[in-house]
Amino acid sequence: MWEDYLEQATASIANKYHRRRAQAKIRQQLLSIWAELTHTGMESPRAMVEAMEMLGDPRHLAEKLATPLRQQRGWLWLVSFAQLMAGLGLLLVSFRTASLADMAVGRVLTLWGFATTGFNTYHHKELWANLKIALRNWRLSLTWVTWGQKARIIAVSAISGILAAVLCSLPWEFVPNTVFHPVMVSDFLGLFSFALAAWGPYYVFRRSIAMAFRDITWQIWAALTSTVTYTTLVVVNGQFVPPPFFNWQPELFILGSFVSFFAALRVYAFFLALKERIEPWSDDEIRPAI
């Protein structure tokens, strides 16, 4: 009897895994209410109907449960579209200034932004509704975490930016010209160093900030913090600039590093969500809804 109710209550949740988890949580609440009612002497069929009535309209419940994930999907599309616009803007600037650095970065950002925007547009249902929900939280606030957690998140993000500035400039100092294809070796070590800087601090402090990975708005704040930290270091001290980027302007470091940090966080968050079974809502958030 509860199957139709469960389907209606989770109809707006696009993610199949989240839908199954939400159905399990709702079923648990229904069973708990049913057990209390039957314990008082009510017949089982009547108790099942009463349990659904006590939980409320399944359509309202579906909207309540789907809102967190739809908000995150809306922000993810906005970030992807902003990357596309930034890439196109750099390409237009490069045509006027004849800057090869602007053209190279603009081309990469445009291709990456086009791919991510297309992917997010294709896989997101009711995109305009998701954007409206996302823009309600236009301040990108982390309302569900304490000030202490916010401070730890920002601190770990800053450490990631510092490590990226330090580690990514080291391979070029240690790879001699006698090495077979030193540019290729240095590029490989640079990518490895960035991966270490982008993921290492979050892995070390994963127990204190793990739940933050369920929120894309947090990932935006973290990428911005790492970007500001990294860009400040490379602009103030040229020794942190890898040789291939010696002619980059500050705006190129800002755009390039933000896209890199955000993409790294998205990859890390994906695998962490699979391992830790992170959901778009916590038990405390879903319990008042049901």
Side-chain angles (χ1 to χ4, degrees):
M1 177 179 290
W2 288 337
E3 298 305 321
D4 291 340
Y5 185 91
L6 294 175
E7 289 294 331
Q8 294 181 39
T10 58
S12 299
I13 302 178
N15 187 289
K16 295 181 180 179
Y17 166 72
H18 293 152
R19 188 185 307 128
R20 290 195 297 267
R21 292 289 295 167
Q23 289 181 357
K25 290 176 181 290
I26 298 172
R27 189 187 301 275
Q28 183 179 5
Q29 294 292 326
L30 289 170
L31 287 172
S32 178
I33 298 173
W34 174 83
E36 293 179 1
L37 294 176
T38 54
H39 184 71
T40 61
M42 184 179 294
E43 295 182 357
S44 178
R46 176 57 185 168
M48 296 179 69
V49 175
E50 189 69 19
M52 290 186 290
E53 293 179 354
M54 292 180 66
L55 287 184
D57 188 351
R59 292 172 296 181
H60 174 73
L61 183 57
E63 181 180 357
K64 183 76 173 181
L65 296 178
T67 296
L69 187 60
R70 294 182 65 178
Q71 176 176 287
Q72 300 307 308
R73 286 174 174 263
W75 273 113
L76 184 59
W77 189 91
L78 286 173
V79 172
S80 301
F81 184 72
Q83 293 174 359
L84 174 60
M85 292 295 99
L88 290 174
L90 274 181
L91 284 179
L92 292 177
V93 171
S94 68
F95 290 146
R96 297 185 60 181
T97 61
S99 172
L100 295 180
D102 289 347
M103 184 177 298
V105 177
R107 183 167 58 248
V108 172
L109 289 183
T110 300
L111 292 175
W112 179 249
F114 181 80
T116 55
T117 302
F119 178 82
N120 293 328
T121 302
Y122 178 78
H123 286 277
H124 289 188
K125 297 180 180 179
E126 301 180 358
L127 176 60
W128 291 114
N130 294 348
L131 293 176
K132 291 180 180 179
I133 295 174
L135 292 176
R136 294 175 189 172
N137 187 22
W138 62 272
R139 295 183 179 180
L140 294 178
S141 60
L142 301 174
T143 55
W144 58 271
V145 299
T146 64
W147 282 106
Q149 289 174 315
K150 292 179 181 179
R152 287 194 294 270
I153 292 170
I154 296 301
V156 173
S157 304
I159 293 173
S160 178
I162 295 173
L163 285 178
V166 174
L167 295 180
C168 291
S169 62
L170 292 180
W172 299 89
E173 300 293 335
F174 293 103
V175 177
N177 293 329
T178 56
V179 174
F180 172 74
H181 212 307
V183 175
M184 181 183 298
V185 176
S186 297
D187 286 344
F188 173 79
L189 291 178
L191 292 175
F192 176 79
S193 299
F194 176 77
L196 182 63
W199 297 330
Y202 300 107
Y203 179 80
V204 173
F205 299 101
R206 64 189 182 280
R207 297 188 181 276
S208 59
I209 63 171
M211 286 305 297
F213 282 92
R214 71 182 175 92
D215 199 332
I216 291 176
T217 53
W218 168 84
Q219 296 168 19
I220 297 174
W221 274 117
L224 285 173
T225 302
S226 299
T227 297
V228 171
T229 304
Y230 175 80
T231 303
T232 301
L233 289 175
V234 298
V235 171
V236 172
N237 191 338
Q239 293 182 351
F240 291 124
V241 180
F245 308 148
F246 74 94
N247 61 339
W248 278 27
Q249 299 298 319
E251 58 271 17
L252 297 184
F253 283 108
I254 292 174
L255 294 174
S257 57
F258 174 79
V259 172
S260 300
F261 280 117
F262 185 71
L265 285 174
R266 292 293 300 154
V267 172
Y268 187 82
F270 172 76
F271 287 105
L272 186 66
L274 292 179
K275 180 181 178 181
E276 302 293 339
R277 300 170 67 89
I278 295 178
E279 300 166 343
W281 13 252
S282 65
D283 290 343
D284 292 337
E285 289 173 327
I286 195 174
R287 190 172 292 115
I290 55 181

